[in-house]
Amino acid sequence: MTIYSAQVVEHFDAPRNAGRLATAPDVVEAEAGSRSQGTQFHFSARIAGNALAAVHFEAYGCPHCIAAASWLTQRLRGASVDALERWSWREVAEALAVPAEKRGHLLTLEDAVRRLAAAWRRHG
Amino acid sequence: MLELPIYLDNAATTPVDPRVVDGMIDCLRNVQGNPSSMSHDFGRRARALVERARAQVATAIGARPECIVWTSGATESDNFAIMGAARFHADRGRHIVSAKTEHKAVLDALKQLEREGFAVTYLKPDAGGIVKAEQVAEALRPDTVLVSIMHVNNETGVINDVAAIGRLCRERGVLFHCDAAQSVGKVPVDVTTLNVDLLSLNAHKVHGPKGVGALYVRRTPPLGLRPLLVGGGQEGGLRSGTLATHQIVGMGLTFSLATNEMDRDMARMRAQRDRLWQGIAAVGEVDVNGDVERRAANILNVTFRGVEGESLQFALRRLAVSAGAACSSASEEASYVLRALGRTDQEAQSSLRFSLGRFTTDADIDTAIAEVQREVPRLRQIARRA
């Protein structure tokens, strides 16, 4: 059985910002992965000027996926679009002590973040 | 101290009944002889206990005591029956019929025989997990020497019509082995009614000790079996090795209790399982795996749609349940049994086996229902449209 770090357990049991922001002019959305692949992320974020004011997530996947998405919603609050574009899965892997065999899921998470940045760019 | 989870994994193994523990401890403390040492009282006393246990096991399955051969468990019994019978009769034919949903102890023994030149037909069960006698009939060939079909499936609890398959095999002159590791104490087992030639048994699935089992071997007419273990000639030359008196005493007691208490145990477990299912079904988007009309009362295997398998298991970590078979769940592969029933990989991975035992309480069921009703909707909410 997979061993989960205390941070993963904490975020899995009490995820932050789970759900989806209501559609609005200042809200952008992005997703990556698929249920058939076993991992899917959706992010919705409210833009306030040059920063994200709030980020919400939905996730289908293993406990590491749910915990990573939850952690990320807090990490990205206040982030700029440039920061989103630079964001790497390694940061959450280190913060939550995600084991090597699970890091493929985090690449899907990184894809979702990149797509959120692209949606923000398109939003202007 | 950490709170232990609720134990609902009795199809993997069961807690040993305290009455069995007492009998085994008494044996360990007071019986020191080797049951094969018939020249002194120590040995004769041990032998008497072994023979009493043999009679207890035989009585539980409607057999004569001389048909019981002690083994280390059902895996050895399966290996011994399949490889022993096939190798002995290899000059008559090299074809075997079995099923995709058999336990790994059967499937891996068959794989070994395939490496030795045998051909094996693996029958696919119907959507309910049942292997029918007609399928076996169609698969038989002139060179078929053995059929091996399990009684109660360890993942779904589904009960095959072993009596019909055994009757067919007997009519066609083909040896019939049945893995009954999950049967005793849950469903009636009678070797005459079931028409079996070889029947694998163990103690630990029915509140006995691990590390002991038995193989029923029909004796009249002699069926021909090549031993796996040699060196001592115990068990009539079929299974060498010093007999583990305390383990055997434990298995005898276990089977006596299982036989005497089966009706009461099963009535309670059936009511508990049905209540558990009602509680689980209330969360919606769930399916029972296996034929609901023909299954043992102690097993409930459920697919939870819309929930990822690993998160489901971790969210329900207060419940000791099994994802697939315990013997292979470490691999985290989708259950081959559920795949054979037509479930997708994803559905199989999102399935859990709840299995009840003699010591499962109504409060355990209440806790299990509460955990499922809290955690499954929570995970679905997190995954809502992702």
Side-chain angles (χ1 to χ4, degrees), chain B residues 300-315:
Chain B
L300 174 64
N301 192 312
V302 180
T303 298
F304 295 82
R305 280 178 271 139
V307 185
E308 194 274 338
E310 189 184 328
S311 281
L312 175 68
Q313 289 174 53
F314 190 58

Side-chain angles (χ1 to χ4, degrees), chain B residues 6 29 39 57 85 99 114 158 165 177 216 257 272 275 278 302 313 326-327 350 361 364 372 377:
Chain B
I6 302 295
R29 283 220 169 93
S39 59
V57 169
E114 286 181 294
V158 158
I165 295 169
H177 165 251
Y216 161 82
L257 291 169
Q272 289 175 331
R275 195 162 66 81
Q278 286 166 11
V302 180
Q313 289 174 53
C327 313
S350 296
T361 65
D364 292 340
V372 168

Side-chain angles (χ1 to χ4, degrees), chain B residues 205-384:
Chain B
K205 305 286 191 188
V206 61
H207 304 288
K210 297 164 190 61
V212 62
L215 180 66
Y216 161 82
V217 181
R218 177 177 55 73
R219 294 290 194 176
T220 47
L223 54 77
L225 206 54
R226 186 174 295 175
L228 290 182
L229 300 181
V230 292
Q234 287 88 346
E235 298 297 275
L238 286 176
R239 203 277 189 179
S240 289
T242 300
L243 294 171
T245 311
H246 65 293
Q247 299 284 84
I248 289 168
V249 163
M251 184 158 174
L253 281 169
T254 298
F255 271 44
S256 277
L257 291 169
T259 308
N260 294 338
E261 300 180 7
M262 182 173 77
D263 290 346
R264 196 171 59 208
D265 282 349
M266 283 304 108
R268 186 181 61 254
M269 279 185 234
R270 185 172 290 106
Q272 289 175 331
R273 182 202 61 187
D274 290 347
R275 195 162 66 81
L276 177 61
W277 168 240
Q278 286 166 11
I280 289 173
V283 304
E285 300 288 298
V286 287
D287 301 300
V288 175
N289 291 308
D291 189 316
V292 293
E293 302 297 326
R294 297 191 55 184
R295 61 184 169 142
N298 61 316
I299 294 179
L300 174 64
N301 192 312
V302 180
T303 298
F304 295 82
R305 280 178 271 139
V307 185
E308 194 274 338
E310 189 184 328
S311 281
L312 175 68
Q313 289 174 53
F314 190 58
L316 296 178
R317 62 191 181 276
R318 283 197 65 211
L319 309 179
V321 297
S322 180
C327 313
S328 59
S329 61
S331 68
E332 294 188 11
E333 289 174 3
S335 155
Y336 66 89
V337 171
L338 298 185
R339 295 285 290 117
L341 269 60
R343 296 292 185 209
T344 64
D345 274 351
Q346 204 169 13
E347 288 169 338
Q349 280 164 349
S350 296
S351 299
L352 295 176
R353 178 188 67 186
F354 302 81
S355 52
L356 285 53
R358 185 178 293 153
F359 304 114
T360 302
T361 65
D362 289 344
D364 292 340
I365 301 299
D366 291 338
T367 302
I369 291 171
E371 291 289 312
V372 168
Q373 291 188 347
R374 187 182 69 242
E375 291 299 320
V376 171
R378 184 177 83 83
L379 290 175
R380 285 178 176 155
Q381 183 68 22
I382 291 171
R384 190 160 47 112

Side-chain angles (χ1 to χ4, degrees), chain B residues 117-157:
Chain B
F118 286 83
V120 182
T121 299
Y122 297 96
L123 300 173
K124 186 179 189 311
D126 65 18
I130 305 278
V131 177
K132 294 190 173 66
E134 302 85 72
Q135 290 177 272
V136 176
E138 285 174 19
L140 291 179
R141 307 189 324 204
D143 62 340
T144 306
V145 289
L146 178 68
V147 169
S148 180
I149 299 290
M150 72 195 331
H151 193 199
V152 175
N153 184 270
N154 50 302
E155 290 197 35
T156 60

